[in-house]
Amino acid sequence: MAFTLKINGTPHEVDVDGDTPLLWVLRDVLGMTGTKFGCGLALCGACTVHVDGQAVRSCQTPVDSIGDSAVTTIEAIGETPQGKALQQAWLELEVVQCGYCQSGQIMSAAALLAETPKPTDADIDAAMSGNVCRCGTYQRIRAAIHKAAA
Ligand code: FES
Ligand code: FES
């Protein structure tokens, strides 16, 4: 079935089954590989993208649920004020280790800052609790979010 998805401001026509996860469409159909596959079960956050500004797990988001909503991925989050500030803070504080989880971390952090420009530690913990980092970069992620908010 054909769907026209608005991704990073551009319409993309894809022909896939309606229950295909958005993550599959992004990576395998459109070649946008910045969004990562981790668990496939909405448990790790590696696949986080925005749908109308809300952080969602694209591995558990069927493509037929998107409709006219605007999808934003890591490839374009740097074009938003929050995304730009976060990416700068991430670089300055050298947050990344292996990097695998980091697209999802930044997408969740960007959704947080868009809603809560000056988050507390508790706000950060609540917003980021679904994003797992096996390298344990949590302290630097928190510091980078505070830095971006400043
Ligand atoms: S791959 Fe989607 S939450 Fe883990
Ligand atoms: S930086 Fe390696 S999993 Fe997070």
Side-chain angles (χ1 to χ4, degrees), residues 55-140:
V56 303
R57 308 300 186 227
S58 63
C59 69
Q60 289 287 318
T61 303
V63 74
D64 64 5
S65 72
I66 303 292
D68 293 332
S69 296
V71 177
T72 306
T73 70
I74 189 68
E75 282 85 358
I77 197 66
E79 295 165 19
T80 68
Q82 295 85 11
K84 187 175 179 192
L86 285 163
Q87 288 180 337
Q88 189 62 39
W90 245 246
L91 287 172
E92 288 174 12
L93 297 184
E94 298 183 352
V95 170
V96 175
Q97 287 198 28
C98 82
Y100 200 83
C101 72
Q102 299 287 329
S103 303
Q105 303 282 1
I106 287 178
M107 295 307 290
S108 289
L112 167 65
L113 289 189
E115 202 155 288
T116 308
K118 298 284 182 200
T120 63
D121 282 349
D123 294 331
I124 292 171
D125 290 348
M128 304 300 292
S129 64
N131 286 83
V132 175
C133 175
R134 70 180 177 179
C135 300
T137 62
Y138 300 110
Q139 295 304 321
R140 292 202 299 279

Side-chain angles (χ1 to χ4, degrees), residues 23-37 46 73-75 100 103:
L23 177 61
W24 271 240
V25 174
L26 291 172
R27 290 183 56 86
D28 295 348
V29 179
L30 299 174
M32 301 171 73
T33 55
T35 307
K36 302 305 184 197
F37 172 81
T73 70
I74 189 68
E75 282 85 358
Y100 200 83
S103 303

Side-chain angles (χ1 to χ4, degrees), residues 37-40 42-45 47 57 59:
F37 172 81
C39 63
L43 296 172
C44 77
C47 66
R57 308 300 186 227
C59 69

